[in-house]
PDB file of all heavy atoms in Angstrom:
ATOM      1  N   LYS A  74      10.704  69.740  -7.700  1.00  0.00           N
ATOM      2  CA  LYS A  74      10.075  71.043  -7.726  1.00  0.00           C
ATOM      3  C   LYS A  74       9.318  71.247  -9.051  1.00  0.00           C
ATOM      4  O   LYS A  74       9.565  70.594 -10.059  1.00  0.00           O
ATOM      5  CB  LYS A  74      11.161  72.185  -7.644  1.00  0.00           C
ATOM      6  CG  LYS A  74      12.087  72.050  -6.430  1.00  0.00           C
ATOM      7  CD  LYS A  74      11.413  72.537  -5.164  1.00  0.00           C
ATOM      8  CE  LYS A  74      12.460  72.825  -4.043  1.00  0.00           C
ATOM      9  NZ  LYS A  74      13.421  71.762  -3.763  1.00  0.00           N
ATOM     10  N   LEU A  75       8.365  72.164  -9.015  1.00  0.00           N
ATOM     11  CA  LEU A  75       7.666  72.540 -10.246  1.00  0.00           C
ATOM     12  C   LEU A  75       7.277  73.996 -10.223  1.00  0.00           C
ATOM     13  O   LEU A  75       7.203  74.634  -9.131  1.00  0.00           O
ATOM     14  CB  LEU A  75       6.448  71.607 -10.481  1.00  0.00           C
ATOM     15  CG  LEU A  75       5.438  71.430  -9.325  1.00  0.00           C
ATOM     16  CD1 LEU A  75       4.458  72.607  -9.175  1.00  0.00           C
ATOM     17  CD2 LEU A  75       4.629  70.156  -9.551  1.00  0.00           C
ATOM     18  N   ASP A  76       7.088  74.558 -11.380  1.00  0.00           N
ATOM     19  CA  ASP A  76       6.652  75.936 -11.515  1.00  0.00           C
ATOM     20  C   ASP A  76       5.234  75.947 -12.101  1.00  0.00           C
ATOM     21  O   ASP A  76       4.955  75.193 -13.051  1.00  0.00           O
ATOM     22  CB  ASP A  76       7.582  76.715 -12.495  1.00  0.00           C
ATOM     23  CG  ASP A  76       8.981  76.821 -11.988  1.00  0.00           C
ATOM     24  OD1 ASP A  76       9.226  76.743 -10.796  1.00  0.00           O
ATOM     25  OD2 ASP A  76       9.919  76.993 -12.868  1.00  0.00           O
ATOM     26  N   ILE A  77       4.385  76.816 -11.560  1.00  0.00           N
ATOM     27  CA  ILE A  77       3.002  76.890 -11.976  1.00  0.00           C
ATOM     28  C   ILE A  77       2.756  78.306 -12.524  1.00  0.00           C
ATOM     29  O   ILE A  77       2.983  79.294 -11.761  1.00  0.00           O
ATOM     30  CB  ILE A  77       2.026  76.570 -10.872  1.00  0.00           C
ATOM     31  CG1 ILE A  77       2.393  75.266 -10.187  1.00  0.00           C
ATOM     32  CG2 ILE A  77       0.586  76.486 -11.410  1.00  0.00           C
ATOM     33  CD1 ILE A  77       1.595  74.957  -8.914  1.00  0.00           C
ATOM     34  N   TYR A  78       2.283  78.412 -13.726  1.00  0.00           N
ATOM     35  CA  TYR A  78       1.987  79.702 -14.350  1.00  0.00           C
ATOM     36  C   TYR A  78       0.478  79.821 -14.644  1.00  0.00           C
ATOM     37  O   TYR A  78      -0.119  78.901 -15.195  1.00  0.00           O
ATOM     38  CB  TYR A  78       2.749  79.868 -15.661  1.00  0.00           C
ATOM     39  CG  TYR A  78       4.250  79.769 -15.526  1.00  0.00           C
ATOM     40  CD1 TYR A  78       4.945  78.565 -15.594  1.00  0.00           C
ATOM     41  CD2 TYR A  78       5.020  80.954 -15.297  1.00  0.00           C
ATOM     42  CE1 TYR A  78       6.321  78.516 -15.465  1.00  0.00           C
ATOM     43  CE2 TYR A  78       6.403  80.859 -15.175  1.00  0.00           C
ATOM     44  CZ  TYR A  78       7.018  79.638 -15.241  1.00  0.00           C
ATOM     45  OH  TYR A  78       8.425  79.578 -15.110  1.00  0.00           O
ATOM     46  N   PHE A  79      -0.082  80.941 -14.265  1.00  0.00           N
ATOM     47  CA  PHE A  79      -1.543  81.133 -14.355  1.00  0.00           C
ATOM     48  C   PHE A  79      -1.893  82.162 -15.471  1.00  0.00           C
ATOM     49  O   PHE A  79      -1.120  83.082 -15.743  1.00  0.00           O
ATOM     50  CB  PHE A  79      -2.086  81.619 -13.014  1.00  0.00           C
ATOM     51  CG  PHE A  79      -1.872  80.625 -11.912  1.00  0.00           C
ATOM     52  CD1 PHE A  79      -0.766  80.699 -11.073  1.00  0.00           C
ATOM     53  CD2 PHE A  79      -2.772  79.589 -11.702  1.00  0.00           C
ATOM     54  CE1 PHE A  79      -0.566  79.785 -10.069  1.00  0.00           C
ATOM     55  CE2 PHE A  79      -2.583  78.655 -10.694  1.00  0.00           C
ATOM     56  CZ  PHE A  79      -1.471  78.772  -9.863  1.00  0.00           C
ATOM     57  N   PRO A  80      -3.107  82.031 -15.986  1.00  0.00           N
ATOM     58  CA  PRO A  80      -3.545  82.971 -17.061  1.00  0.00           C
ATOM     59  C   PRO A  80      -3.781  84.395 -16.570  1.00  0.00           C
ATOM     60  O   PRO A  80      -3.598  85.373 -17.300  1.00  0.00           O
ATOM     61  CB  PRO A  80      -4.852  82.337 -17.546  1.00  0.00           C
ATOM     62  CG  PRO A  80      -4.802  80.927 -17.112  1.00  0.00           C
ATOM     63  CD  PRO A  80      -4.044  80.929 -15.844  1.00  0.00           C
ATOM     64  N   GLY A  81      -4.270  84.521 -15.370  1.00  0.00           N
ATOM     65  CA  GLY A  81      -4.647  85.853 -14.847  1.00  0.00           C
ATOM     66  C   GLY A  81      -3.864  86.243 -13.618  1.00  0.00           C
ATOM     67  O   GLY A  81      -2.856  85.596 -13.226  1.00  0.00           O
ATOM     68  N   GLU A  82      -4.306  87.292 -12.979  1.00  0.00           N
ATOM     69  CA  GLU A  82      -3.630  87.786 -11.778  1.00  0.00           C
ATOM     70  C   GLU A  82      -3.919  86.932 -10.564  1.00  0.00           C
ATOM     71  O   GLU A  82      -3.182  86.962  -9.587  1.00  0.00           O
ATOM     72  CB  GLU A  82      -4.040  89.224 -11.525  1.00  0.00           C
ATOM     73  CG  GLU A  82      -3.513  90.239 -12.539  1.00  0.00           C
ATOM     74  CD  GLU A  82      -1.961  90.254 -12.524  1.00  0.00           C
ATOM     75  OE1 GLU A  82      -1.366  90.228 -11.452  1.00  0.00           O
ATOM     76  OE2 GLU A  82      -1.392  90.201 -13.622  1.00  0.00           O
ATOM     77  N   VAL A  83      -5.030  86.157 -10.622  1.00  0.00           N
ATOM     78  CA  VAL A  83      -5.462  85.349  -9.501  1.00  0.00           C
ATOM     79  C   VAL A  83      -5.031  83.923  -9.780  1.00  0.00           C
ATOM     80  O   VAL A  83      -5.294  83.375 -10.846  1.00  0.00           O
ATOM     81  CB  VAL A  83      -6.942  85.465  -9.250  1.00  0.00           C
ATOM     82  CG1 VAL A  83      -7.366  84.568  -8.052  1.00  0.00           C
ATOM     83  CG2 VAL A  83      -7.351  86.912  -9.001  1.00  0.00           C
ATOM     84  N   ALA A  84      -4.474  83.284  -8.736  1.00  0.00           N
ATOM     85  CA  ALA A  84      -4.066  81.860  -8.924  1.00  0.00           C
ATOM     86  C   ALA A  84      -5.287  80.957  -8.755  1.00  0.00           C
ATOM     87  O   ALA A  84      -5.417  80.234  -7.738  1.00  0.00           O
ATOM     88  CB  ALA A  84      -2.990  81.517  -7.902  1.00  0.00           C
ATOM     89  N   ALA A  85      -6.210  80.992  -9.684  1.00  0.00           N
ATOM     90  CA  ALA A  85      -7.439  80.228  -9.613  1.00  0.00           C
ATOM     91  C   ALA A  85      -7.179  78.813  -9.903  1.00  0.00           C
ATOM     92  O   ALA A  85      -6.275  78.430 -10.635  1.00  0.00           O
ATOM     93  CB  ALA A  85      -8.435  80.784 -10.601  1.00  0.00           C
ATOM     94  N   GLU A  86      -7.970  77.890  -9.267  1.00  0.00           N
ATOM     95  CA  GLU A  86      -7.738  76.475  -9.495  1.00  0.00           C
ATOM     96  C   GLU A  86      -8.700  75.870 -10.493  1.00  0.00           C
ATOM     97  O   GLU A  86      -8.459  74.768 -11.015  1.00  0.00           O
ATOM     98  CB  GLU A  86      -7.854  75.728  -8.168  1.00  0.00           C
ATOM     99  CG  GLU A  86      -9.248  75.618  -7.608  1.00  0.00           C
ATOM    100  CD  GLU A  86      -9.297  74.585  -6.445  1.00  0.00           C
ATOM    101  OE1 GLU A  86      -8.637  74.849  -5.424  1.00  0.00           O
ATOM    102  OE2 GLU A  86      -9.987  73.591  -6.599  1.00  0.00           O
ATOM    103  N   GLY A  87      -9.806  76.543 -10.807  1.00  0.00           N
ATOM    104  CA  GLY A  87     -10.765  75.984 -11.734  1.00  0.00           C
ATOM    105  C   GLY A  87     -10.390  76.208 -13.198  1.00  0.00           C
ATOM    106  O   GLY A  87     -11.103  76.817 -13.997  1.00  0.00           O
ATOM    107  N   LEU A  88      -9.229  75.672 -13.533  1.00  0.00           N
ATOM    108  CA  LEU A  88      -8.656  75.900 -14.885  1.00  0.00           C
ATOM    109  C   LEU A  88      -8.193  74.560 -15.429  1.00  0.00           C
ATOM    110  O   LEU A  88      -7.922  73.620 -14.720  1.00  0.00           O
ATOM    111  CB  LEU A  88      -7.441  76.840 -14.804  1.00  0.00           C
ATOM    112  CG  LEU A  88      -7.646  78.252 -14.291  1.00  0.00           C
ATOM    113  CD1 LEU A  88      -6.309  78.889 -13.938  1.00  0.00           C
ATOM    114  CD2 LEU A  88      -8.329  79.107 -15.352  1.00  0.00           C
ATOM    115  N   PRO A  89      -8.008  74.480 -16.738  1.00  0.00           N
ATOM    116  CA  PRO A  89      -7.277  73.360 -17.304  1.00  0.00           C
ATOM    117  C   PRO A  89      -5.799  73.583 -17.034  1.00  0.00           C
ATOM    118  O   PRO A  89      -5.288  74.699 -17.079  1.00  0.00           O
ATOM    119  CB  PRO A  89      -7.585  73.413 -18.778  1.00  0.00           C
ATOM    120  CG  PRO A  89      -7.896  74.858 -19.061  1.00  0.00           C
ATOM    121  CD  PRO A  89      -8.531  75.368 -17.794  1.00  0.00           C
ATOM    122  N   PHE A  90      -5.076  72.533 -16.683  1.00  0.00           N
ATOM    123  CA  PHE A  90      -3.627  72.590 -16.418  1.00  0.00           C
ATOM    124  C   PHE A  90      -2.899  71.728 -17.418  1.00  0.00           C
ATOM    125  O   PHE A  90      -3.236  70.533 -17.584  1.00  0.00           O
ATOM    126  CB  PHE A  90      -3.340  72.102 -14.990  1.00  0.00           C
ATOM    127  CG  PHE A  90      -3.715  73.064 -13.897  1.00  0.00           C
ATOM    128  CD1 PHE A  90      -5.033  73.222 -13.501  1.00  0.00           C
ATOM    129  CD2 PHE A  90      -2.773  73.813 -13.212  1.00  0.00           C
ATOM    130  CE1 PHE A  90      -5.392  74.079 -12.512  1.00  0.00           C
ATOM    131  CE2 PHE A  90      -3.098  74.682 -12.215  1.00  0.00           C
ATOM    132  CZ  PHE A  90      -4.430  74.836 -11.849  1.00  0.00           C
ATOM    133  N   CYS A  91      -1.897  72.284 -18.061  1.00  0.00           N
ATOM    134  CA  CYS A  91      -1.070  71.548 -18.968  1.00  0.00           C
ATOM    135  C   CYS A  91       0.327  71.392 -18.292  1.00  0.00           C
ATOM    136  O   CYS A  91       1.026  72.378 -18.042  1.00  0.00           O
ATOM    137  CB  CYS A  91      -0.906  72.192 -20.330  1.00  0.00           C
ATOM    138  SG  CYS A  91       0.001  71.221 -21.531  1.00  0.00           S
ATOM    139  N   LEU A  92       0.718  70.158 -18.046  1.00  0.00           N
ATOM    140  CA  LEU A  92       2.010  69.861 -17.405  1.00  0.00           C
ATOM    141  C   LEU A  92       3.051  69.570 -18.482  1.00  0.00           C
ATOM    142  O   LEU A  92       2.809  68.698 -19.327  1.00  0.00           O
ATOM    143  CB  LEU A  92       1.920  68.700 -16.455  1.00  0.00           C
ATOM    144  CG  LEU A  92       1.233  68.895 -15.081  1.00  0.00           C
ATOM    145  CD1 LEU A  92      -0.259  69.133 -15.247  1.00  0.00           C
ATOM    146  CD2 LEU A  92       1.523  67.741 -14.166  1.00  0.00           C
ATOM    147  N   PHE A  93       4.183  70.253 -18.438  1.00  0.00           N
ATOM    148  CA  PHE A  93       5.222  70.096 -19.444  1.00  0.00           C
ATOM    149  C   PHE A  93       6.419  69.385 -18.835  1.00  0.00           C
ATOM    150  O   PHE A  93       6.948  69.754 -17.746  1.00  0.00           O
ATOM    151  CB  PHE A  93       5.673  71.442 -20.024  1.00  0.00           C
ATOM    152  CG  PHE A  93       6.749  71.265 -21.053  1.00  0.00           C
ATOM    153  CD1 PHE A  93       6.401  70.767 -22.299  1.00  0.00           C
ATOM    154  CD2 PHE A  93       8.044  71.602 -20.792  1.00  0.00           C
ATOM    155  CE1 PHE A  93       7.388  70.603 -23.304  1.00  0.00           C
ATOM    156  CE2 PHE A  93       9.048  71.458 -21.740  1.00  0.00           C
ATOM    157  CZ  PHE A  93       8.713  70.912 -23.010  1.00  0.00           C
TER     158      PHE A  93
END
Side-chain angles (χ1 to χ4, degrees):
K74 304 284 198 306
L75 50 79
D76 297 335
I77 310 172
Y78 299 91
F79 298 94
E82 289 300 316
V83 180
E86 71 168 64
L88 297 165
F90 285 76
C91 186
L92 284 71
F93 181 72

